[in-house]
Amino acid sequence: MGSDSHEKSTTSTVFSSPGDSETKRRTYNLLEALQNVFIGHPLNVLISLAIILLSIAKISDSDTHFGYAKVSKASTGFGPNVNRELIIFSTTMFENTSTIRYTESIKSLENSHNLGFKVVICDSSPDEEVREGLKAAGAIVSKQQTTPATKGGALREALTLALRLSPPDTHSILAFQETEKLDMPLHWGRIRQEMEVQKADIAVPKRSEKYFRETYPIGQYFQESFGSQYLNSMAREQITMVGNVDTTGKSGLNRVTINSLRKHWKDLDWHFGPFAFRKEWADFWLQYDSDSWQAQMIPMIYAMRSGAKTISVEIDYRHSTQMKREEEGNPKYLQKRFEQTQSLLPSVSEAFISPVPDYTHEIRTRIEDAAKILA
């Protein structure tokens, strides 16, 4: 999983997406960027058709329920709701503007801006210059108000800001990521499309094995691989549903039975960090009171157990070479990964079976009632 938080570069040299040739890769990125620019415009239909034709030439169909989704013909997202707005939210804390994570974050924010994504950040850095730099790179930045300043508190503040940016009559997708993940903004367009096509409530990006192993520090690769394998094995054996699950689909919710949930379970990349959800489910995160990493993961488990359809979207994410160089073999970071594993695995695996908080029942009922009205 990432930390609590890149020189200016051009779109053509930084952007990357799956493809079988450099020409297709650049063409796909250009079309996807244009699709973000022309959201709601009639021209978007032609752009979507072009992406479909390009994708058919290079991609095969994939699983659709709790399934991996590299890029499928369907993932091009041609349809009336494909351009549902996606807003990125994040938390940051940098000692100063000279750290590697800060400089990588600046590049990431510029990528997001070039792709047309709004980014909101709750920052707890001691230096005001950090916030000014993040704003200059295109982000909407707020100094953390909750005390003491914790990751969980900052996440809830950032999510609240993101919700304010989303008009009340829209169904935005809210996406969390650590800002220093330079490559991540390049993949949100596809993830959004997969959510639309598969009618998913939550999406968890999954790092492709090739680039995960090649671009991450080897200690982090093994630690996070073990952690995800452990949690996925626990989920397949233990995860339980809550509430009255509608197996007919008439409620309008993406409900699944416990047997279906376990049978069709596809492994999630629990330690990667980024995830996205439809804003209707935001209260699961807003009302979960945790100060640390659990604030990202446990609300997602509660939402899944309450009927949120969750998909894993495999992406060719490439990690920062500068960050790999800084962390490779560094005892400080190896200790950090070790402590994360000790802290996260017991509490997250417990969330698969423990009673869910009372507030989740109210949220689930509200979502179900809204779905019935729209049906």
Side-chain angles (χ1 to χ4, degrees), residues 267-297:
D267 289 352
L268 300 181
D269 194 346
W270 292 98
H271 287 266
F272 185 17
F275 60 94
F277 55 89
R278 298 180 187 272
K279 77 173 186 179
E280 298 92 313
W281 296 86
D283 274 342
F284 275 84
W285 282 266
L286 289 175
Q287 296 196 42
Y288 181 73
D289 188 13
S290 169
D291 294 336
S292 191
W293 302 103
Q294 285 85 347
Q296 294 174 216
M297 303 168 75

Side-chain angles (χ1 to χ4, degrees), residues 334-344:
L334 290 170
Q335 180 66 27
K336 174 185 174 181
R337 307 297 172 197
F338 177 73
E339 291 173 356
Q340 282 181 346
T341 301
Q342 285 188 312
S343 170
L344 278 174

Side-chain angles (χ1 to χ4, degrees), residues 100-101 216-221 223 322-339:
I100 290 176
R101 278 176 169 73
Y216 271 76
I218 193 65
Q220 185 176 358
Y221 166 78
Q223 177 262 332
Q322 288 87 348
M323 288 174 59
K324 178 179 180 179
R325 189 179 303 119
E326 179 185 43
E327 296 186 20
E328 190 80 83
N330 188 321
K332 168 187 171 183
Y333 289 102
L334 290 170
Q335 180 66 27
K336 174 185 174 181
R337 307 297 172 197
F338 177 73
E339 291 173 356

Side-chain angles (χ1 to χ4, degrees), residues 241-266:
M241 299 294 290
V242 297
N244 298 317
V245 178
D246 173 22
T247 59
T248 68
K250 293 181 180 180
S251 71
L253 279 176
N254 292 315
R255 295 295 181 85
V256 291
T257 66
I258 180 57
N259 289 334
S260 176
L261 177 59
R262 291 180 179 175
K263 179 180 179 180
H264 296 285
W265 180 271
K266 296 292 183 176

